[in-house]
């Protein structure tokens, strides 16, 4: 199915799946779960976010909560307070940049350390790397939390 979808929720969980078109989800308090969705913008103030198989680039912003994105090919993921777990799509070919101010960047994907950012504290971590020769690009930023990047 193809639809242009906008969902705004103040209190309560949001769960969507198997749609095409465009997508924008914004939740103040509650978890967001989406699968087999187009790329789009997802924002959460307080709650966990779990996205599986986004077809296009995503813009994901989380103020407070755990973030899990599976089979992703591109986009920007930003979390203020909470861990981020990213699983790359099997066809991912491109650049990955990941950083955290207070936490670690780890996972199955070999990334090169770009150095510790001493501006925020001794536990800051910043890494980047390239897989294949493609143009996919993912940027992950967490202020207070770990970033874990894995392959499917």
């Amino acid at each position: 199915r193809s639809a242009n979808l906008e969902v705004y929720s103040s209190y309560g969980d949001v769960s969507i799946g198997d749609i095409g078109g465009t997508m924008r989800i914004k939740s103040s308090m509650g978890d967001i779960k989406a699968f087999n969705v187009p790329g789009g913008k997802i924002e959460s103030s307080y709650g966990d976010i779990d996205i599986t198989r986004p077809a296009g680039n995503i813009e994901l912003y989380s103020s407070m909560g755990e973030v899990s994105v599976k089979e992703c090919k591109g986009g920007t993921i930003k979390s203020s307070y909470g861990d981020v777990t990213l699983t790359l799509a099997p066809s991912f070919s491109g650049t990955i940049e990941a950083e955290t101010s207070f936490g670690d960047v780890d996972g199955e994907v070999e990334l090169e350390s770009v150095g510790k950012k001493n501006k925020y504290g001794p536990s800051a971590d910043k890494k980047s790397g390239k897989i294949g020769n493609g143009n996919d690009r993912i940027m992950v930023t967490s202020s207070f939390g770990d970033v874990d990047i894995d392959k499917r």
Side-chain angles (χ1 to χ4, degrees), residues 40 42 56-62 67 69 72-80 84-88 92 94-100 105 111 114 117 125-129 135-143 146-149:
I42 300 163
N57 285 347
I58 59 169
E59 289 180 59
L60 190 149
Y61 303 96
S62 172
V67 175
V69 182
C72 185
K73 284 191 67 175
T76 302
I77 301 167
K78 293 184 178 183
S79 172
S80 295
V84 176
T85 302
L86 170 67
T87 305
L88 300 174
F92 180 86
T95 304
I96 302 168
E97 294 180 23
E99 68 178 285
T100 178
V105 176
L111 298 176
V114 183
K117 293 179 358 183
D125 199 2
K126 184 174 183 179
K127 295 181 180 177
S128 68
N135 294 320
D136 295 335
R137 181 176 175 88
I138 297 176
M139 297 178 65
V140 182
T141 305
S142 176
S143 297
D146 295 329
V147 175
D148 188 63
I149 302 174

Side-chain angles (χ1 to χ4, degrees), residues 1 34 51 57 59 74 102 109 122 129-131:
R1 294 185 160 154
I51 308 297
N57 285 347
E59 289 180 59
F102 290 93
V109 178
K130 188 159 176 73
I131 296 174

Side-chain angles (χ1 to χ4, degrees), residues 32 42-44 47-51 60-62 66-69:
I32 298 173
I42 300 163
E43 299 176 68
S44 173
D48 296 339
I49 300 175
D50 184 0
I51 308 297
L60 190 149
Y61 303 96
S62 172
E66 304 296 310
V67 175
S68 174
V69 182

